[in-house]
């Protein structure tokens, strides 16, 4: 597998083929022995492999592990609704997670697991080439911002960052599961979502020289 930062392939079909190779590596990954032995499926991500807009959540839960798809439980239904409110559907975006395997009992991802899985996420970003990445919740936000500042302080504030070889507009959002627990968080998430179309319509950030 290519390492993050290696020169990306060019055409959309080449990128899609390379993404399939990353998927093939991820589906047999045993870097986290506890997660590998407990999982039913590696949840690689789903959607449009050439999307301008990508979402990165935390980790698969029980439903996602059972189906092999991201965000198919209650939080996923809310994500679908919020996408619909801004005129988008799952097929317009790519949805991935910080971890590709379910932490047993839905415990928090451990730092070593996040580190083990980071390469897959960065390769997805390099090969999908989104111009906007919405992080959902603390784990994805802290990982991709490389900063421990919590989501309540940074949600709704877009910033340009370089992830591997790609410059992207990162847009931190509350996690939909948190919005299901608190009405004020749902209001904030909905208000932040409303700005997504404008962010996607902006010119893509200039890419670093290869
Ligand atoms: N929560 C997440 O962060 N990701 C999923 O795929 C499902 C729930």
């Amino acid at each position: 597998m290519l390492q993050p930062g290696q020169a990306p392939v060019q055409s959309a079909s080449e990128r899609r083929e390379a993404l399939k190779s990353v998927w093939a590596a991820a589906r047999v990954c045993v870097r986290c022995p506890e997660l590998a032995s407990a999982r039913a499926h590696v949840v690689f991500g789903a959607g449009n492999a050439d999307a301008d807009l990508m979402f990165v959540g935390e980790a698969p839960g029980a439903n996602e592990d059972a189906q092999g798809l991201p965000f198919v439980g209650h939080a996923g239904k809310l994500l679908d609704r919020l996408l619909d409110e801004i005129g988008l559907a799952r097929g317009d975006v790519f949805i991935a997670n910080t971890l590709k395997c379910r932490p047993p009992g839905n415990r928090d991802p451990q730092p070593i697991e996040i580190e083990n899985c980071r390469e897959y996420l960065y390769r997805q970003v390099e090969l999908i080439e989104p111009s906007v990445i919405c992080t959902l919740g603390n784990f994805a936000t802290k990982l991709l911002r490389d900063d421990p500042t919590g989501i309540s302080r940074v949600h709704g504030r877009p910033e340009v960052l370089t992830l591997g070889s790609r410059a992207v507009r990162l847009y931190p959002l509350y996690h939909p599961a948190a919005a299901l627990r608190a009405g004020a968080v749902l209001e904030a998430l909905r208000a932040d979502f409303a700005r997504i179309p404008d962010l996607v319509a902006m010119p893509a950030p200039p890419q670093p020289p290869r």
Side-chain angles (χ1 to χ4, degrees):
M1 192 164 89
L2 287 173
Q3 299 302 307
Q6 277 188 262
V9 285
Q10 291 301 302
S11 75
S13 67
E14 283 173 326
R15 287 188 286 110
R16 200 164 37 247
E17 286 310 305
L19 191 62
K20 285 187 199 166
S21 304
V22 181
W23 164 221
R27 71 192 304 181
V28 295
C29 181
V30 289
R31 289 178 191 177
C32 306
E34 186 193 4
L35 304 195
S37 64
R39 73 187 175 216
H41 288 102
V42 172
V43 182
F44 186 64
N48 178 351
D50 202 24
D52 287 334
L53 175 60
M54 184 166 166
F55 289 85
V56 181
E58 182 179 316
N63 294 308
E64 291 75 20
D65 181 55
Q67 295 186 40
L69 292 169
F71 281 97
V72 290
H74 291 303
K77 300 280 173 286
L78 175 57
L79 183 57
D80 286 343
R81 212 157 62 234
L82 292 165
L83 282 171
D84 184 62
E85 286 173 12
I86 58 169
L88 294 176
R90 277 188 187 232
D92 299 318
V93 305
F94 194 90
I95 303 176
N97 277 306
T98 302
L99 292 192
K100 309 290 184 233
C101 297
R102 181 191 182 208
N106 292 344
R107 64 158 170 74
D108 284 350
Q110 301 298 298
I112 181 68
E113 294 164 349
I114 295 171
E115 182 54 31
N116 286 343
C117 216
R118 193 169 66 98
E119 181 188 359
Y120 296 118
L121 180 59
Y122 273 54
R123 288 296 291 140
Q124 287 177 308
V125 170
E126 288 178 342
L127 293 168
I128 294 166
E129 298 190 346
S131 60
V132 177
I133 296 182
C134 296
T135 50
L136 299 170
N138 267 316
F139 284 95
T141 301
K142 290 179 182 181
L143 174 67
L144 295 190
R145 294 187 73 245
D146 195 20
D147 184 284
T149 307
I151 189 64
S152 57
R153 288 187 49 203
V154 296
H155 76 90
R157 299 182 184 187
E159 60 190 302
V160 172
L161 289 178
T162 300
L163 304 175
S165 65
R166 290 297 297 175
V168 299
R169 231 174 277 286
L170 194 92
Y171 189 47
L173 302 173
Y174 281 115
H175 195 287
L180 288 173
R181 292 191 292 268
V185 174
L186 176 56
E187 260 177 53
L189 179 57
R190 191 167 259 133
D192 291 342
F193 246 79
R195 291 183 58 203
I196 290 176
D198 285 346
L199 291 175
V200 175
M202 288 173 76
Q207 294 304 313
R210 288 185 186 156

